[in-house]
Amino acid sequence: MTLMRTAAAGLALLLAAACTAPTPPRSEGSAAAGTACVRPQGPAGAETATTIEVIEQAYSCILGTYYSGATLDARALLTAGFVALTQELNRNGHDVPEATMPALTGDREADWTAFETAFRKTTDQVPDLRERLAVVTLEAIVAALGDNHARWAHDIRRPPDYYDGDGYGLGLEANVSGPQVDGNPGVALPPLFVTAVQGGAAQAAGLRPGDIIESINASVPFIDGKATPAIAALYPRYPQARPVGLRLLRPSTGRRWTVTLKPGLFQQDLAGLHVVSSKLLDDSIAYVRMRRFAPDSADRVLKAITRLRTGRTLTGVILDLRGNGGGSPLEATRLVSAFVHGKVTAYQCTVDGRCETTRTDDTVELLNLPLMVLTDRSCASACEHFSSAVKDLHAGGLVGTRTAGVISGPAQPYLLRNNTTLSFPVRHHLGPDREVIDRIGVPPDHYVPLTPKDAAAGRDPALAKALTLLHK
């Protein structure tokens, strides 16, 4: 948070004083929120400074409400936070004698008091860095949960000249997607190759689907078959603007070359922005592409199928969920309910094994059509809820590759005292057969991966396989 933004909120004088004087002890400072976890009530106000009190609120909220908070060793969270604090000091060319990790005992309240004391002593020595140190500390505490549905949303900005529907980044998609890099990179498989060119720098540089990415900023994307952190550079988020250097191989010609792509805004294909799109294949099969489980998306899918069914006899449905990063679990349940009734679609469980059941909505009319679902490693969260239900309940077949394994549980948002949002699951997701999907994914019934040659030639082997299966 800059001083200019804070001044706009009317707090410039207070922050100026805070940046030149030691942080007051707890007894003199403002008290933490009475209730650690506060659900948002309408739009949040303007974001204010991240402080040790904000960190305390988040810490207490996690331990009291996160699905495994009751059994967490809180020392791991505090240690991760202090590691990030010292690393940020180092990045800024500082070090502080007081920046030593206090001894922690496992007593959550006593450990917090020791942590807070060390934090205040450290940040009092570098007042200009106080807020930045608080930010990285809280980011690290949340990251230490190791939960792909735990987020701290703060300092959200859009690029200048942003227009609704614009994309930001390098203008490409690869077979290892952004959500996969963030949530479960261990499932990625080499080689790394371009699957789509959306625009921007990638289009200007002449990249094509099927081009193999051999290195990113001089680092290889895989070592011994395991994905490296280098892949994350393919998916920068604003305000990240550092150029990304790629070494590429075009297998069809054997050409090797290097390009430097600068992140920026680009206009996306309008067709790709539609949540639901549909068409008729082979005169009798409804093909529906669903890019996310947005509000009302299940009904839009069903309306699309109904329209394709008008005046003809359909023999099957292909639902393409590749690249679907998830969304509403209610929409996933509603869509499953068009293919099967009277079943459990998922379980939401506490750390001690107490589970709530999610059941089909039997008010949804059954389609009574054979179903094939196309999945890939970018099918995550609610997409995996749907896919696992289809598989376990024998409502259809899955074709493609295993899903992302990014389905810890539905995230609940909580408002922190600086008007930022902390979100995490209060229950853990299990499939209809009570199987764990998180970090594992849902395996397809028919494994049909996309290859660089397929991408370069514009072939879709998974779709071809689904059509073959429906024609049997």
Side-chain angles (χ1 to χ4, degrees):
M1 180 70 66
T2 65
L3 190 57
M4 182 177 296
R5 289 178 63 190
T6 309
L11 297 176
L13 293 177
L14 290 176
L15 279 184
C19 290
T20 56
T23 307
R26 178 189 296 273
S27 60
E28 297 176 24
S30 56
T35 303
C37 281
V38 179
R39 296 299 299 271
Q41 302 292 327
E47 183 176 335
T48 59
T50 301
T51 64
I52 187 63
E53 288 83 10
V54 174
I55 299 173
E56 180 182 17
Q57 183 189 4
Y59 172 80
S60 300
C61 181
I62 289 168
L63 297 183
T65 310
Y66 179 59
Y67 89 90
S68 65
T71 60
L72 275 176
D73 185 345
R75 291 173 290 187
L77 304 184
L78 296 179
T79 299
F82 212 85
V83 167
L85 181 151
T86 57
Q87 289 176 343
E88 187 66 18
L89 281 173
N90 183 61
R91 278 192 289 269
N92 284 273
H94 290 279
D95 210 342
V96 175
E98 291 82 1
T100 58
M101 182 69 195
L104 303 178
T105 64
D107 181 314
R108 291 177 169 190
E109 291 188 12
D111 286 346
W112 172 259
T113 299
F115 175 88
E116 180 187 14
T117 299
F119 181 95
R120 290 181 184 275
K121 286 182 177 179
T122 299
T123 57
D124 282 348
Q125 303 307 308
V126 283
D128 291 343
L129 290 177
R130 183 177 287 139
E131 185 179 1
R132 178 59 189 161
L133 294 174
V135 167
V136 299
T137 298
L138 183 47
E139 287 176 337
I141 287 174
V142 176
L145 293 173
D147 190 307
N148 49 59
H149 277 57
R151 297 282 188 276
W152 177 43
H154 66 101
D155 196 23
I156 298 173
R157 291 178 281 170
R158 283 183 170 178
D161 302 323
Y162 174 86
Y163 184 75
D164 191 27
D166 281 348
Y168 183 85
L170 305 181
L172 64 84
E173 286 288 338
N175 58 314
V176 182
S177 68
Q180 185 179 338
V181 168
D182 292 339
N184 196 7
V187 301
L189 296 174
L192 180 67
F193 61 94
V194 177
T195 56
V197 176
Q198 302 164 312
Q203 185 177 61
L207 272 64
R208 298 178 188 169
D211 288 344
I212 293 175
I213 302 172
E214 296 186 322
S215 73
I216 305 166
N217 292 330
S219 296
V220 294
F222 290 91
I223 296 177
D224 295 331
K226 296 182 179 180
T228 69
I231 297 175
L234 294 180
Y235 302 104
R237 299 186 179 105
Y238 183 78
Q240 293 172 286
R242 182 176 297 175
V244 178
L246 303 180
R247 186 179 69 198
L248 299 155
L249 166 65
R250 184 162 291 163
S252 60
T253 64
R255 177 192 175 198
R256 274 190 169 87
W257 77 107
T258 60
V259 295
T260 299
L261 306 181
K262 183 174 175 56
L265 286 172
F266 59 89
Q267 184 176 351
Q268 298 188 86
D269 179 9
L270 293 179
L273 297 176
H274 293 159
V275 174
V276 174
S277 56
S278 61
K279 60 184 176 182
L280 188 69
L281 298 178
D282 294 352
D283 295 325
S284 66
I285 293 174
Y287 168 89
V288 183
R289 176 75 182 269
M290 185 182 186
R291 288 176 171 80
R292 60 186 178 277
F293 283 85
D296 197 40
S297 57
D299 283 347
R300 279 184 271 177
V301 170
L302 300 180
K303 286 178 182 177
I305 295 171
T306 298
R307 287 180 179 179
L308 292 173
R309 205 173 194 175
T310 301
R312 63 176 58 86
T313 299
L314 291 182
T315 59
V317 174
I318 295 176
L319 185 58
D320 191 345
L321 297 183
R322 293 173 296 184
N324 186 312
S328 168
L330 295 176
E331 294 298 313
T333 297
R334 187 166 175 79
L335 189 55
V336 170
S337 304
F339 297 94
V340 63
H341 280 177
K343 300 293 184 179
V344 173
T345 68
Y347 294 90
Q348 307 298 335
C349 303
T350 61
V351 70
D352 59 0
R354 292 178 290 112
C355 299
E356 295 179 352
T357 57
T358 302
R359 296 184 179 275
T360 53
D361 179 354
D362 294 350
T363 66
V364 178
E365 185 178 354
L366 288 170
L367 288 172
N368 294 312
L369 287 170
L371 171 67
M372 289 293 159
V373 181
L374 306 185
T375 61
D376 66 1
R377 281 298 191 181
S378 296
C379 169
S381 193
C383 183
E384 297 181 276
H385 179 164
F386 177 85
S387 300
S388 64
V390 168
K391 184 180 179 71
D392 290 356
L393 303 179
H394 307 289
L398 306 187
V399 181
T401 61
R402 186 180 291 263
T403 63
V406 180
I407 185 169
S408 171
Q412 300 293 333
Y414 299 98
L415 185 66
L416 299 181
R417 56 187 296 147
N418 66 337
N419 291 322
T420 60
T421 303
L422 176 67
S423 58
F424 52 73
V426 298
R427 290 179 179 267
H428 192 57
H429 183 101
L430 298 178
D433 289 343
R434 293 184 181 268
E435 76 274 26
V436 175
I437 303 169
D438 192 40
R439 303 180 186 277
I440 296 169
V442 182
D445 298 299
H446 304 274
Y447 178 65
V448 187
L450 182 72
T451 68
K453 285 185 178 181
D454 292 327
R459 292 191 297 264
D460 192 338
L463 177 58
K465 179 67 174 179
L467 285 168
T468 299
L469 291 167
L470 288 174
H471 282 311
K472 282 186 176 180

